[in-house]
Amino acid sequence: MKRIIEIVPARPGWYARWRQSPEATRSYPVTVWALVEDTDVPTREVVGVDSIGQWPGADDNEAGSDFVRYVYQAPEAGQPDDASNPVGADVEPPSPVRA
């Protein structure tokens, strides 16, 4: 079982990229970085928790999504092409980008 030990805010520009299908990805903004401890074995790792609450290794991640990597894109450069930000958005998220 994994548990969060410590949380710090993420700076703007960090995204967690998830594979939705073999050809499509979706990136969500990382909202916080968390120090996660595995209680079964004595290990700790830092993970980014995205705007929909997913993080690599969580038991309740969106079905069919596999974590790919963290992506940084300077805020002045805009968002990645496959970005989706459901927090405070009143429009449909973009369709997944075909890789």
Side-chain angles (χ1 to χ4, degrees):
M1 179 178 185
K2 293 185 178 187
R3 65 183 180 143
I4 295 175
I5 303 297
E6 186 176 347
I7 296 176
V8 296
R11 299 183 105 188
W14 282 102
Y15 295 84
R17 178 161 288 152
W18 299 86
R19 181 153 311 283
Q20 306 290 308
S21 72
E23 306 84 30
T25 60
R26 182 163 291 149
S27 295
Y28 298 102
V30 173
T31 55
V32 297
W33 295 105
L35 177 61
V36 177
E37 179 179 72
D38 189 331
T39 58
D40 297 329
V41 292
T43 60
R44 288 184 173 186
E45 65 181 323
V46 174
V47 297
V49 180
D50 66 29
S51 60
I52 62 170
Q54 297 186 127
W55 49 278
D59 292 334
D60 58 350
N61 284 341
E62 182 179 336
S65 282
D66 294 314
F67 177 74
V68 176
R69 66 186 176 113
Y70 296 108
V71 177
Y72 179 78
Q73 188 159 325
E76 58 271 8
Q79 297 180 338
D81 291 339
D82 62 348
S84 178
N85 188 0
V87 178
D90 55 356
V91 295
E92 287 291 316
S95 297
V97 172
R98 301 289 174 201

